[in-house]
Amino acid sequence: MQSTGIPVEEHGKSAKQLRRTAETQAEAMERLAKGRCTLDEAQDALRAVAVANGMSRAVPSVVELLDSVPRDSTASSERNRERSHKLFIEFLGKRAHERVDMITEDDCRAFVKSLLGRVSCATIVSRKVYLSSAFQKGVRDGFRSRNPWEGVCVAKIAKAAGVNTKPQEREAFSVEEMKIILTQFPEVWRDMAAVSYYCHGLRLSDVCLMRWSYVDFERGRIFIPAEKKTGKARAFLLEGALLAIMERRQQVACPDDEYIFPLMAERYRHSPGYLSTQFTDLLRAFGILGEDDGRPAAGNKYRMSKKSFHSIRHTAVSGHRTDANLTPDDCRALVGHDSEKIERGYFHLSEEKERYALQRLEAAVR
């Protein structure tokens, strides 16, 4: 009580415990005063005094800090957050149970290097964003003086390691491949692919979660109030093959079905990655992809398939941009892109067009 000024009955400890705590603090402060400690030891000494006097909280472990981060509002963001936290904890191993202020910038750089070559740089940047947000919470709560992720640049680390930072691009389906998908795939995938194709490359998430309330048969339109990725409202013309699909599915739908593809909607909410993998497996089964395309390589490296459900969007854009009756502005309006730059990234020259251009060059010099 003489050392701390705190009466025993208020502190909840015995005189012996109080005396030992006071001695520990005094020794730490003495080392600090004599300049015989590192910066970390100095911070520990100050924190020990503050915690003992109820003016601060004990520093949590990395696991405790990550567990304290609030959940994200959307399911997909929450999955990415949990995945990022899990990977970092696995990387740290036993050190994940150390105090969060013991994690250095070098640790963060080492984590980034461990992911290089396994996933794309864009994915690593996403992991960094979630982890940096968690450590910034530690800064706000007073557990750290700075965020160790602030000085970590994924692009620079990748460049120094000789890793290509350019993301792998998807390819468009050829006309023959789209015919296979729309005629030979299992019925639900045929219909989903057709809805995507006739809605100018609508994303898998929006196809899976399309509701009957979006379909207006009287006005001949499909109205999507907000795309899952962009949040933009979209409207599509309900005619021809698209109308036939909707009428056929309406005939077999249950009265209480909320979604046009109810089973796929349920699966997407629980595991969107599973549906993407299932579609990719179908592409392999029908010979559109090779057996090894997109499968994990040696060293547990992840590889993106050259073609996936998203390739339908590339196919739609490429078809629109090669039509002389459609301007680039028309194409962007149909597909829902915001800029010419984004639109160009989805354009792929077909083999037929390439052959035609070559024949023109040959004809010019005959």
Side-chain angles (χ1 to χ4, degrees), residues 197-210:
Y197 185 64
Y198 297 128
C199 289
H200 313 287
L202 194 63
R203 297 178 181 87
L204 176 61
S205 57
D206 296 308
V207 175
C208 287
L209 301 178
M210 186 177 287

Side-chain angles (χ1 to χ4, degrees), residues 31-48:
R31 289 197 304 273
L32 174 60
K34 293 181 178 179
R36 295 178 181 175
C37 62
T38 64
L39 177 60
D40 288 337
E41 290 173 336
Q43 291 175 333
D44 287 345
L46 295 173
R47 183 175 294 280

